[in-house]
Amino acid sequence: MTEQDLPHEIVAKAQEYLSDFKNARAAKTIRAFENGVRLFRAWCDRDEKSWFPATPATVAAFVASIGAQPFTRVVIKRRTPTTITTGPVAAATMKQYLWAVGLLHRSADLPDPTKSGKVAFAVDAFERAVGVEQRQAPALTREVSDRLVEAIEERLAAAAADGAPPSLYDLRDRALILTWRDTLARVSELIRLRWDDVAPHPVKPPGSVKIRRSKTDQKGQGHQRHLTERTLAALTAWRQAHAALLAAASPAQRARIAAMAEDAAALSADRAVFVGVHRGGLTPLSTTAAVRVLNDRATWAGVLHVFSGHSVRVGTTQDLLAAGYDALAVAQAGGWKDTKMVLRYGARLLTDRSAVAQHECDRGRASGD
């Protein structure tokens, strides 16, 4: 049986459910669902198995196959056949695929094949074979970020000494790195910051910035993050340059920005804190561009590492734990709902707070007495 053989009312029910789902969830969640279903369907089509509805045996075979060997298929991208290879995959990725398959079936009130004992055994076997440890992004600690910012400030100082105007990219990138470090923001949160969200402290300096939405706050309750005096100064310098860029934009560029600004929910170039400067004008910075800034600046400063969008978040978490702050305070600073990720990021650092480490420290003090 295929989806074409299903009764019309079941297909209609699934379509209605998934339409509501897409209206209620973030774009990244929707993409994860669509990618998971698309992959499962392609795998089933290759082996001539029914993908909707699917049997527990089919899902279990999918787990064993994708987990053990690459699966290659051809898809059409921009009207061009493109070969894509998936697998072997990590345990967390496999669970995301199964979530998508299960959601698809639940949307039509069909039995969820991923909840069967057969699939559970297949997942257990897969996890025993590959392990469940997740790879951690390379940490960009304060020591490293200081080197990046110092290299930028040397360029700014050299320009000032020569009587030349400061580089717009230097002003932007300094503010970006410092803001990223202060807020422990995810890269997706950083690029969505608005100038309206940056404010001085109501009672004492320096200030704060509001993260409007996050992975754990899809409904937009918002979360305030501290900004240091140095970061506020860097943001102020960049804001002046940003305003000058807007003023110098062509009439066509300004018209495009104004048209987007009519939608209060849209992130237009005049509202966005961090923007890209292109031949076509100004646009809010993308996640890819923000990560590229880190790596380009790292190369310029002689730091021979490749960083990801989570590197600043991991590194600052480790800095705070190493300085003695407890996991709960770090979780609050980074907008986590609990301390799970904080403890994972700082697993090695926190071994010195174990009972064995403290006992040895106490023994050392006692023998010193």
Side-chain angles (χ1 to χ4, degrees):
M1 178 181 288
T2 67
E3 77 281 6
Q4 289 84 4
D5 302 318
L6 290 171
H8 172 74
E9 58 270 19
I10 290 181
V11 174
K13 185 180 295 183
Q15 290 174 339
E16 180 182 2
Y17 181 97
L18 294 176
S19 176
D20 293 340
F21 167 77
K22 291 179 179 181
N23 289 331
R25 294 292 181 265
K28 190 173 182 179
T29 302
I30 296 168
R31 285 196 301 272
F33 167 74
E34 292 175 340
N35 290 339
V37 171
R38 193 177 294 117
L39 172 65
F40 180 67
R41 179 175 185 173
W43 182 87
C44 289
D45 288 346
R46 184 197 66 178
D47 291 358
E48 298 183 346
K49 298 179 184 293
S50 171
W51 68 278
F52 184 57
T55 66
T58 296
V59 177
F62 169 76
V63 171
S65 175
I66 297 294
Q69 59 190 356
F71 168 54
T72 301
R73 71 272 191 203
V74 176
V75 300
I76 303 300
K77 285 190 171 183
R78 298 178 181 176
R79 301 181 181 179
T80 303
T82 303
T83 300
I84 296 180
T85 299
T86 301
V89 300
T93 305
M94 179 64 75
K95 288 186 175 180
Q96 188 175 80
Y97 293 155
L98 294 180
W99 161 79
V101 173
L103 176 62
L104 174 67
H105 285 74
R106 294 194 301 275
S107 71
D109 286 340
L110 294 172
D112 183 349
T114 69
K115 300 302 182 184
S116 71
K118 191 173 187 66
V119 174
F121 287 142
V123 171
D124 286 347
F126 166 72
E127 291 181 343
R128 282 175 60 84
V130 305
V132 297
E133 182 180 12
Q134 292 180 265
R135 287 176 293 180
Q136 184 169 290
L140 198 156
T141 60
R142 186 182 186 92
E143 178 185 1
V144 177
S145 60
D146 277 345
R147 288 176 61 183
L148 270 57
V149 173
E150 286 167 6
I152 294 173
E153 292 184 334
E154 287 176 2
R155 288 168 53 89
L156 290 169
D162 292 340
S167 161
L168 297 172
Y169 295 105
D170 287 342
L171 293 174
R172 181 199 65 187
D173 294 354
R174 178 180 62 176
L176 182 143
I177 294 168
L178 290 173
T179 302
W180 209 339
R181 185 172 75 185
D182 280 4
T183 60
L184 285 82
R186 299 174 179 87
V187 63
S188 59
E189 298 164 358
L190 182 79
I191 63 166
R192 290 200 298 264
L193 293 179
R194 301 175 178 225
W195 287 117
D196 288 346
D197 299 329
V198 179
H201 194 281
V203 178
K204 59 181 181 179
S208 65
V209 63
K210 182 180 180 180
I211 305 289
R212 294 194 175 204
R213 292 180 186 271
S214 69
K215 181 179 179 181
T216 55
D217 177 23
Q218 293 293 328
K219 296 182 179 179
Q221 180 178 349
H223 188 264
Q224 295 288 343
R225 308 284 174 88
H226 177 78
L227 293 177
T228 63
E229 188 172 356
R230 183 183 187 187
T231 300
L232 270 181
L235 282 167
T236 299
W238 162 236
R239 188 168 193 173
Q240 293 170 352
H242 180 251
L245 281 171
L246 291 170
S250 68
Q253 293 171 6
R254 288 200 296 270
R256 286 196 295 270
I257 293 172
M260 180 173 287
E262 290 179 2
D263 181 358
L267 183 62
S268 54
D270 58 336
R271 292 176 179 148
V273 172
F274 300 113
V275 297
V277 184
H278 316 283
R279 289 182 180 179
L282 304 179
T283 58
L285 204 65
S286 67
T287 55
T288 301
V291 175
R292 188 183 303 121
V293 166
L294 278 187
N295 287 303
D296 287 348
R297 292 300 181 174
T299 299
W300 185 270
V303 178
L304 303 181
H305 293 286
V306 177
F307 298 107
S308 76
H310 260 61
S311 291
V312 178
R313 192 165 168 84
V314 174
T316 305
T317 296
Q318 293 180 356
D319 286 333
L320 294 172
L321 291 172
Y325 296 98
D326 64 66
L328 190 60
V330 178
Q332 191 281 329
W336 283 285
K337 287 187 173 181
D338 54 46
T339 60
K340 179 181 177 181
M341 293 305 298
V342 174
L343 295 176
R344 186 160 78 82
Y345 289 163
R348 291 184 179 179
L349 287 169
L350 293 173
T351 57
D352 65 358
R353 302 187 195 179
S354 70
V356 172
Q358 293 182 41
H359 178 61
E360 286 301 307
C361 184
D362 291 343
R363 281 169 53 86
R365 284 198 295 265
S367 62
D369 294 341

